Amino acid sequence: MRPSGRKLDEMRPVSIETGVTKHAEGSCMIRMGDTHVLCTATIEDRVPPFIKGSGLGWVTAEYGMLPRSTNTRMRREASSGKQGGRTVEIQRLIGRALRAGGDRVALGERQITVDCDVIQADGGTRCASITGGWVALRLAVNKLMKTGDVISDPLIDPVSAVSCGIYAGQPVLDLDYPEDSEAGVDGNFIMTGSGKLIEVQMSAEGSIFSRDQMNQLMDLAEKGVSELAAAQKAAAA
C-alpha cells in the first residue's frame, strides 16, 4: 500500500491554472498533488551570443525553490551569492527538455525564458516544472502567432515529465516525497505527448534493478505522460 493510498499506476491529482500573472507572456500554476510550481514565460528579441545571426531561436529556463516550500526553511541561494549544484542541474534539464519539443528555426531569432518557482514541494518538482513550463511556453508562443511574429508553430509536440520508482519492492507512478525519500530506485522520465523519449534519469537509491523492472517503470511513465499531455492541451487550449 502506498502512503497516499493511491494505486501503483495512479497519478496524484493534476491541475494547471493559466494566466496567473499579469505581466508574463505566458504563465500557469501547476499542482501535482502537494507540489505546486509557478511557471512564467518571457519573450525577448535577442538570443545568446553563440547563436546570434544564425536565425535560430532559443528556449532557456531558471528554477528555484522558495524558502518555505519545504517543511523547514531553506536559505535563499541569492543570500549565499551563488546557485547550488542541484539548482543548476535542474534548470539545465528544464531548458534541454523544452528545446527538444520545438522547432528553433520556426521560433525565429528570439529567446523565451521559462522561470519555474517552486511554491510548495512534495516530490517531483523538476517534473512539475517541465510540465508546467511547457504550458507557459505554449501560451507565450500563442501570442507570437496571434500577432504574426511567428508564422509556423514552433512547438511540435507537448513535453512533460513524470517520476517513477521502486517503492517497497513495487513499481509506482508519480512519487510523492514519502515515497521518493524511501524509494529503492528513482527515475525521471521526460517525454513528448506522442510518447517519444527526451531524457531518462534513473538511479539505484538503495537497491539495484533489473531490465524488466526498468521496462515496468517505462510503461508507467508512458501512462503518466499521456495523462499529463491531455491536461496540458486542455489548459493551453
Side-chain angles (χ1 to χ4, degrees):
M1 178 66 72
R2 304 179 70 173
S4 62
R6 286 182 287 148
K7 297 176 183 177
L8 299 180
D9 64 349
E10 185 179 352
M11 295 277 292
R12 291 173 290 180
V14 176
S15 69
I16 305 175
E17 178 187 358
T18 59
V20 295
T21 68
K22 178 179 179 179
H23 301 294
E25 283 79 20
S27 68
C28 75
M29 176 72 78
I30 182 168
R31 297 176 176 88
M32 295 180 67
D34 285 334
T35 289
H36 303 169
V37 184
L38 172 65
C39 303
T40 58
T42 300
I43 302 169
E44 297 175 282
D45 289 323
R46 65 179 183 88
V47 291
F50 62 87
I51 58 169
K52 191 172 183 180
S54 67
L56 297 175
W58 189 249
V59 176
T60 188
E62 292 191 12
Y63 167 95
M65 298 180 70
L66 294 189
R68 278 315 305 266
S69 59
T70 55
N71 60 355
T72 58
R73 186 184 186 278
M74 297 182 298
R75 186 184 182 192
R76 292 185 188 272
E77 290 184 326
S79 65
S80 65
K82 64 177 182 178
Q83 292 179 311
R86 176 183 178 274
T87 297
V88 172
E89 178 227 335
I90 290 176
Q91 64 188 27
R92 286 178 176 170
L93 172 68
I94 297 167
R96 287 198 306 272
L98 296 178
R99 287 193 297 274
D103 179 350
R104 291 169 53 204
V105 174
L107 181 59
E109 202 162 314
R110 57 177 54 84
Q111 175 172 289
I112 302 180
T113 302
V114 177
D115 288 291
C116 301
D117 293 290
V118 180
I119 309 299
Q120 183 172 281
D122 187 41
T125 61
R126 71 187 68 193
C127 293
S129 295
I130 291 167
T131 304
W134 185 87
V135 173
L137 180 62
R138 171 78 273 174
L139 295 172
V141 167
N142 286 351
K143 288 194 174 182
L144 288 172
M145 295 181 67
K146 187 175 181 179
T147 58
D149 292 317
V150 169
I151 306 302
S152 177
D153 190 355
L155 297 185
I156 302 167
D157 209 358
V159 173
S160 57
V162 71
S163 63
C164 300
I166 307 293
Y167 173 78
Q170 296 287 332
V172 296
L173 173 63
D174 189 22
L175 281 70
D176 53 25
Y177 180 74
E179 294 170 332
D180 190 24
S181 60
E182 297 291 334
V185 177
D186 183 21
N188 297 302
F189 299 80
I190 307 167
M191 304 173 71
T192 67
S194 58
K196 300 291 178 61
L197 286 168
I198 295 173
E199 191 159 336
V200 177
Q201 300 175 329
M202 287 189 66
S203 59
E205 301 288 344
S207 60
I208 55 177
F209 56 98
S210 66
R211 175 67 175 269
D212 183 57
Q213 286 175 313
M214 184 177 73
N215 291 340
Q216 291 174 14
L217 295 180
M218 276 294 313
D219 291 341
L220 287 175
E222 287 183 350
K223 177 180 184 296
V225 164
S226 68
E227 294 177 17
L228 290 172
Q232 288 174 312
K233 288 179 179 179

